[in-house]
Each structure stands twice: as structure tokens, then as C-alpha cells.
């Protein structure tokens, strides 16, 4: 299992002192971010700009969560990190991980958690924003545990876009984006995997009092009317 400093391994392994100095600096910055949440939970006041506010956005393929993320970004200024987009970008890079990810997606299976968390962590570390929408992750309990162990924090908010299966199938087939996973057979596989593995994650965060269930049927604006109050309630805290 990776540690939170896994993404800095290439710096730490180098004998070049300047690389070590850079790594130490990045580690200090990341520690200040990840410990902020824990300090806040204990009643310690920390600067808002150093405290990451993390929202997980869950829902099956075609549930409309990506569209709603765009509106959340426009309205509340979050940094949108789509797990699916990060994985597809890695595929396009022709890396060894990219080839493995492509084959996994074609089979309708879940990409290994450490691979996805590594991509998310890298984007978070490079971002100047402290408000993150993590879209499409975690999809399994193993995903959830890996994220919290590697990144070192829990999400503040978890949105779940609840949408009937047939509606999701129709939406995915109609979007016609030319993606390798946008065909009927693969969609059905993905939905079965999602239903089987995502429910424990949803139940876990529901018990933690962090889950907000959104009825994902209706127009984009009608659905956003349900989303808007969630973030409005946190606006003064988040900044």
C-alpha cells in the first residue's frame, strides 16, 4: 500500500540535494493540507486556505454527475477532478499503466485503486485550489480505504446521483463521445459492477452523515436545484 509520499519517491531516491530540498518542501505543504482536516475536527482553528475541502461525486455512468460538476465549478469555484478523465488521459499517454487501464475498462472491471489514487493525488498536489470535486471515485470499499489511507483525509461531502438503470443506458448511448466504454455490452457490465460494489460505499458515508442523495431525473437545472443548497450550506466554512 502506498504512503502519502508515494508521489515524491522519484525525488527522494535521487542523490541530488536540490531534488531532496524540493521533495521536502512539497511534503511539508501536503502535510499542512492533510493535517488541517484532522486539526479542524479537534477544534483547532487552521487557515481556511490550507484546509482541503473534498467532495466525492458518485453515480453510475450516465447519471449526469459530470454535467452537475461543471455547474458546481461555475457556481462555487471548485477544482473538478474526474477519475474517468484522468484514467483516459493516462491511456492516451501510451504508458504501461495506460495499457493496463485500457484493458481493464474494456473488460468492464475496476481499475486498481492505487493507480487511480496516484493520479488524483498528483492533480491535488499541483492545484492551487483547496476545494476539490472528485468525480466517479471511490467506486468500491477498497477504493475508499485506499484513498483515505494514501491521502490521509476523509471527504467532507459525498454526493450520490441516483438514476434508474435504463435512463443511464439511454444517456450513455446518446452522448456518442466515441469512448471505448460507450457501447451497450460494456455499459451493462459497468452498471452491474457499479451496483454490486458502490452500495457499501454509499451506505458507509450515509452512516457517517456525509451523504447527500440527489434525484438525477429531470433537466440539468432541476437537478442542480437539489445540489445548490448542499454547497451553499458550506460556503462560509469553505470560502
Amino acid at each position: 500500500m502506498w504512503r502519502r509520499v508515494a508521489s515524491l519517491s522519484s525525488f527522494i531516491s535521487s542523490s541530488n540535494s536540490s531534488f531532496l530540498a524540493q521533495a521536502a518542501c512539497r511534503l511539508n505543504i501536503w502535510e499542512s493540507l492533510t493535517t488541517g482536516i484532522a486539526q479542524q475536527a479537534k477544534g483547532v482553528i487552521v487557515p481556511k486556505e490550507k484546509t482541503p475541502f473534498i467532495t466525492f461525486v458518485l453515480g453510475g455512468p450516465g447519471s449526469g454527475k459530470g454535467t452537475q460538476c461543471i455547474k458546481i465549478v461555475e457556481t462555487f469555484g471548485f477544482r473538478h477532478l474526474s477519475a474517468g478523465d484522468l484514467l483516459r488521459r493516462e491511456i492516451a499517454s501510451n504508458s504501461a499503466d495506460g495499457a493496463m487501464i485500457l484493458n481493464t475498462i474494456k473488460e468492464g472491471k475496476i481499475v486498481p485503486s492505487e493507480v487511480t489514487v496516484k493520479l488524483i493525488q498528483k492533480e491535488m498536489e499541483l492545484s492551487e485550489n483547496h476545494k476539490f470535486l472528485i468525480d466517479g471515485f471511490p467506486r468500491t470499499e477498497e477504493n475508499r480505504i485506499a484513498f483515505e489511507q494514501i491521502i490521509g483525509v476523509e471527504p467532507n461531502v459525498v454526493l450520490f446521483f441516483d438514476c434508474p438503470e435504463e435512463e443511464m443506458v439511454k444517456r450513455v448511448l446518446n452522448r456518442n463521445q466515441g469512448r471505448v466504454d460507450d457501447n451497450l455490452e460494456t455499459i451493462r457490465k459497468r452498471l452491474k459492477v457499479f451496483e454490486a460494489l458502490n452500495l457499501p460505499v454509499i451506505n458507509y458515508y450515509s452512516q457517517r452523515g456525509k451523504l447527500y442523495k440527489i434525484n438525477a431525473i429531470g433537466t440539468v437545472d432541476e437537478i442542480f436545484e437539489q445540489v445548490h443548497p448542499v454547497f451553499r450550506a458550506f460556503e462560509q466554512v469553505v470560502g
Side-chain angles (χ1 to χ4, degrees):
M1 187 62 69
W2 293 355
R3 299 183 182 276
R4 282 179 289 171
V5 296
S7 64
L8 303 179
S9 60
S10 60
F11 290 94
I12 295 174
S13 63
S14 172
S15 60
N16 189 303
S17 61
S18 65
F19 278 11
L20 289 172
Q22 293 176 34
C25 179
R26 290 183 67 193
L27 178 58
N28 288 336
I29 292 171
W30 188 247
E31 288 290 345
S32 69
L33 286 172
T34 56
T35 55
I37 292 288
Q39 290 176 332
Q40 188 180 46
K42 295 177 182 178
V44 178
I45 298 175
V46 294
K48 287 190 293 183
E49 65 272 17
K50 293 185 178 180
T51 304
F53 188 93
I54 298 173
T55 299
F56 285 159
V57 185
L58 306 179
S63 62
K65 60 187 185 298
T67 300
Q68 292 299 315
C69 281
I70 293 173
K71 292 188 72 67
I72 296 168
V73 168
E74 292 173 348
T75 307
F76 296 103
F78 277 70
R79 172 80 163 89
H80 179 205
L81 302 179
S82 166
D85 288 348
L86 293 176
L87 292 170
R88 284 185 285 274
R89 189 172 72 186
E90 190 67 19
I91 292 171
S93 73
N94 294 318
S95 67
D97 278 347
M100 178 274 296
I101 292 167
L102 178 61
N103 289 332
T104 302
I105 291 175
K106 283 182 175 180
E107 294 173 4
K109 297 179 180 178
I110 300 291
V111 174
S113 298
E114 293 183 355
V115 173
T116 308
V117 173
K118 177 182 177 181
L119 296 175
I120 293 171
Q121 183 182 36
K122 180 179 178 181
E123 294 298 315
M124 291 179 69
E125 288 179 338
L126 293 175
S127 177
E128 295 182 359
N129 204 331
H130 70 288
K131 301 184 292 186
F132 298 100
L133 292 176
I134 300 180
D135 173 8
F137 192 89
R139 296 180 62 195
T140 69
E141 272 289 273
E142 198 269 338
N143 281 173
R144 177 189 68 76
I145 293 168
F147 181 93
E148 293 178 6
Q149 288 183 343
I150 294 168
I151 305 299
V153 295
E154 290 189 5
N156 301 80
V157 171
V158 179
L159 292 182
F160 170 51
F161 288 90
D162 188 22
C163 189
E165 179 176 326
E166 289 308 313
E167 178 66 19
M168 288 189 284
V169 170
K170 182 176 68 175
R171 289 176 181 178
V172 173
L173 291 176
N174 287 342
R175 69 189 178 190
N176 192 26
Q177 294 178 348
R179 286 163 33 174
V180 296
D181 51 345
D182 276 0
N183 60 78
L184 184 57
E185 182 181 355
T186 302
I187 293 167
R188 294 290 186 188
K189 286 182 181 178
R190 291 172 64 201
L191 286 170
K192 287 180 181 179
V193 170
F194 176 82
E195 183 178 358
L197 300 181
N198 204 235
L199 186 59
V201 178
I202 293 167
N203 288 339
Y204 175 84
Y205 286 121
S206 178
Q207 293 169 3
R208 300 283 287 175
K210 297 184 177 185
L211 186 76
Y212 295 82
K213 186 175 179 179
I214 307 298
N215 178 7
I217 294 294
T219 67
V220 171
D221 288 338
E222 287 171 346
I223 295 170
F224 189 64
E225 286 179 5
Q226 302 173 61
V227 174
H228 190 276
V230 175
F231 292 96
R232 182 65 69 191
F234 286 97
E235 197 166 32
Q236 289 186 349
V237 177
V238 178

